[in-house]
Amino acid sequence: MITAPTVNSKLPDVKTTIFTVVGDLARKHDAIDLSQGFPNFEADPELIELVSKAMRNGHNQYAGMKGLPELREILSDKIKKLNGHHYSPENEITIVAGATQAIYTAITAFINAGDEVIVLKPAYDCYEPAIKINGGLTVHVELDAPDYEVDWELFKTKITAKTKMVIINTPHNPIGRIFSKNDMLRLQEILRSTNIILLSDEVYEHIIFDGEIHQSVSRFKDLASRSIICSSFGKTFHVTGWKIGYCVAPQELMHEFQKVHQFNVFCVPRPVQHALATYLEKEHHYLELGAFYQKKRDFFLDAIKDSRFKFTPSQGSFFQILDYSEITDEKDDELVRRLILEHKLASIPVSEFNLNYRNDKMLRFCFAKKEETLQQAADILNKI
């Protein structure tokens, strides 16, 4: 008789991610998909050609563990120019297999059993499983709808002798909020006398609207000295399927990060790195991104301005949350399912990102789509 192994799950309460559930349902019912955060338009042909050229030129073997030196150098220059902080290309920058990998690697590198990590809820869904699998304990700070402002006095009460890390996300997924300069100064002051590590998820760093400036932690000297910043080329350049990004941190933190990174993915695709190093030389490729996506945000919101949904325009990212509280008392996950089955439109329920699935009666829509797709979605929403 063959005895099957007994499985003691490290994540017994984790279910299939909402993105997979909604995405599968949307495909099954041929729904317009404004759920998962990916564009339905192509990347710049110049970038595609640069990758092809790199492959034709024989750049098809392993890159170094840290990433190509020329890519790290141009990133160092970019961050210095935009945020005023210098990261050493040699010791403080790593090219990673997307921001999710970087976040998991950072948490794994620093969180031990019993360490506490403060997470602001709603929060993107990859943080807490990584904390749990490494034996850490998540400490929540809930942000209240509809504005989702951080109560910094409440935040201060969550810090204990066991607090090892704080995770922030700006621009924020799912709610599209950005941290203000005042937010960052308050956070800096609160953490100043501690040894707490700050993990900053900044994957939408260049997608900022209405003339605002991205308040990266690298703009703030004390925050930068304790922070690991994760960013995404996939989100920036409309190539989410490439799963490539970068991580910056002070040398001491980066050294520990790379210890884990080298045994996780070791390195990421070399021809893509060659292409990105060349593509980043033209600053307009990322400096014009905010205006590009603001046009899509404004198109979408103008198209639904007469609907029964309420909204405050997204401040950043390519997500817009819509308040349906004047339309129905349904739970948001139930409404998401009904919109797919009855109206052929897919979105994401914000409760999935909240503590205990708190229902704020908010749905998240991705506007990184062609205008005709956004108009089709708006036509549906206007009839709800």
Side-chain angles (χ1 to χ4, degrees):
M1 178 181 293
I2 298 175
T3 302
T6 300
V7 177
N8 294 315
S9 175
K10 289 187 174 182
L11 298 171
D13 301 320
V14 171
K15 58 184 181 179
T16 302
T17 174
I18 188 64
F19 303 111
T20 298
V21 173
V22 171
D24 288 347
L25 194 63
R27 285 186 289 273
K28 180 179 179 180
H29 294 276
D30 196 26
I32 298 168
D33 193 354
L34 268 61
S35 61
Q36 196 168 354
F38 61 85
N40 71 338
F41 47 84
E42 293 303 318
D44 186 348
E46 179 185 348
L47 180 57
I48 304 298
E49 176 55 30
L50 285 170
V51 177
S52 299
K53 181 180 178 180
M55 289 190 287
R56 291 195 298 269
N57 288 345
H59 299 302
N60 299 303
Q61 307 308 323
Y62 293 128
M65 181 269 289
K66 299 175 184 179
L68 289 184
E70 54 264 46
L71 179 53
R72 288 182 280 124
E73 287 168 7
I74 199 166
L75 286 171
S76 176
D77 292 342
K78 178 175 82 80
I79 296 169
K80 175 65 175 178
K81 186 171 185 178
L82 292 178
N83 300 325
H85 187 86
H86 174 72
Y87 287 96
S88 163
E90 179 60 29
N91 301 312
E92 299 181 328
I93 301 177
T94 304
I95 309 304
V96 295
T100 301
Q101 181 253 315
I103 290 164
Y104 186 90
T105 298
I107 292 170
T108 301
F110 295 102
I111 299 305
N112 297 301
D115 287 341
E116 293 180 353
V117 182
I118 296 177
V119 174
L120 309 180
K121 299 285 283 186
Y124 189 63
D125 65 353
C126 77
Y127 307 150
E128 291 166 84
I131 295 166
K132 185 177 179 63
I133 208 166
N134 284 287
L137 304 172
T138 302
V139 176
H140 300 103
V141 176
E142 288 192 87
L143 311 183
D144 294 329
D147 297 325
Y148 298 100
E149 297 282 344
V150 182
D151 181 339
W152 292 110
E153 292 304 312
L154 173 63
F155 177 89
K156 285 169 62 175
T157 69
K158 301 292 185 175
I159 295 176
T160 73
K162 294 182 179 181
T163 306
K164 184 68 171 290
M165 179 180 284
V166 170
I167 302 177
I168 65 170
N169 176 205
T170 181
H172 192 282
N173 177 14
I175 60 178
R177 181 184 176 274
I178 62 174
F179 274 54
S180 67
K181 182 178 181 180
N182 185 60
D183 283 323
M184 303 307 282
L185 290 173
R186 292 291 305 277
L187 178 60
Q188 179 170 253
E189 183 59 32
I190 291 168
L191 298 183
R192 190 183 303 278
S193 62
T194 74
N195 290 317
I196 295 170
I197 296 167
L198 179 62
L199 177 57
S200 188
D201 178 351
E202 302 184 16
V203 302
Y204 300 100
E205 59 178 320
H206 296 298
I207 309 178
I208 304 285
F209 309 134
D210 303 317
E212 295 293 336
I213 296 173
H214 173 52
Q215 299 296 333
S216 171
V217 299
S218 60
R219 286 175 165 260
F220 303 86
K221 184 176 180 180
D222 187 70
L223 288 182
S225 72
R226 67 174 70 247
S227 294
I228 304 161
I229 302 173
C230 302
S231 290
S232 168
F233 294 121
K235 299 294 188 184
T236 299
F237 297 129
H238 327 310
V239 286
T240 60
W242 289 6
K243 295 298 293 181
I244 185 168
Y246 67 94
C247 183
V248 300
Q251 182 175 351
E252 183 179 11
L253 297 180
M254 184 56 72
H255 181 63
E256 295 302 314
F257 177 94
Q258 289 174 347
K259 286 181 182 179
V260 178
H261 173 78
Q262 69 181 343
F263 295 115
N264 186 353
V265 296
F266 181 69
C267 67
V268 299
R270 182 169 181 165
V272 177
Q273 294 189 56
H274 280 277
L276 288 167
T278 301
Y279 196 69
L280 284 165
E281 292 175 356
K282 299 178 181 178
E283 295 180 353
H284 70 87
H285 285 147
Y286 53 88
L287 293 181
E288 296 176 359
L289 198 62
F292 173 81
Y293 275 116
Q294 182 170 334
K295 183 179 178 182
K296 290 185 177 294
R297 180 204 67 175
D298 292 349
F299 179 91
F300 179 58
L301 294 182
D302 184 66
I304 63 169
K305 67 180 184 299
D306 295 325
S307 74
R308 294 194 290 164
F309 290 91
K310 297 186 296 182
F311 56 81
T312 298
S314 171
Q315 297 176 311
S317 81
F318 40 58
F319 301 113
Q320 176 66 51
I321 56 172
L322 300 183
D323 179 340
Y324 68 84
S325 60
E326 295 184 358
I327 300 174
T328 176
D329 288 329
E330 289 172 277
K331 292 181 180 179
D332 59 357
D333 58 340
E334 294 173 352
L335 179 57
V336 163
R337 181 176 178 82
R338 186 164 67 84
L339 285 176
I340 294 173
L341 297 181
E342 298 180 11
H343 300 279
K344 308 300 182 185
L345 177 62
S347 59
I348 294 291
V350 171
S351 66
E352 288 287 333
F353 307 95
N354 279 334
L355 184 61
N356 299 320
Y357 301 100
R358 185 188 71 193
N359 182 20
D360 295 334
K361 296 189 175 180
M362 298 282 192
L363 304 183
R364 191 200 77 171
F365 292 82
C366 174
F367 53 81
K369 308 295 178 183
K370 300 175 183 177
E371 286 192 356
E372 53 263 41
T373 304
L374 295 175
Q375 186 61 60
Q376 291 171 345
D379 291 343
I380 293 170
L381 293 172
N382 288 333
K383 296 175 183 177
I384 302 300

